[in-house]
């Protein structure tokens, strides 16, 4: 379900979910990377909470071998 344009809690929720799923607690670099990914997706027009999580998860996993070795 799409969210109102001025309510960005869905981004915070996605951030928490992704960090929890990947065991990221105190890894500032990974946290910033996930945040940047989420912002990029929102800028691309993703405003549905579940779609944001799914796409972010997919892109994070695609990038994992490249940046996290």
């Amino acid at each position: 379900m799409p969210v109102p344009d001025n309510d960005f809690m869905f981004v915070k929720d996605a951030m928490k979910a992704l960090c929890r799923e990947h065991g990221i607690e105190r890894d500032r670099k990974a946290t910033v990377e996930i945040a940047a990914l989420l912002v990029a997706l929102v800028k691309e027009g993703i405003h549905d909470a579940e779609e944001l999580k799914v796409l972010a998860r997919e892109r994070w996993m695609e990038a994992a071998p490249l940046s996290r070795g």
Side-chain angles (χ1 to χ4, degrees):
M1 167 167 60
V3 296
D5 288 337
N6 61 352
D7 181 7
F8 288 94
M9 282 299 292
F10 72 104
V11 179
K12 184 177 179 180
D13 292 341
M15 179 77 176
K16 286 182 178 182
L18 285 167
C19 287
R20 186 173 38 250
E21 289 172 16
H22 297 285
I24 299 167
E25 292 180 27
R26 294 197 166 99
D27 184 342
R28 181 163 164 66
K29 182 180 178 199
T31 302
V32 170
E33 289 174 357
I34 290 174
L37 172 60
L38 292 169
V39 169
L41 288 168
V42 170
K43 284 183 176 182
E44 288 177 19
I46 307 302
H47 293 272
D48 178 81
E50 287 306 312
E51 185 179 8
L52 181 65
K53 288 179 195 175
V54 168
L55 290 173
R57 221 176 261 125
E58 288 174 2
R59 292 196 186 174
W60 179 254
M61 294 309 294
E62 287 172 3
L66 302 175
S67 63
R68 288 173 288 291

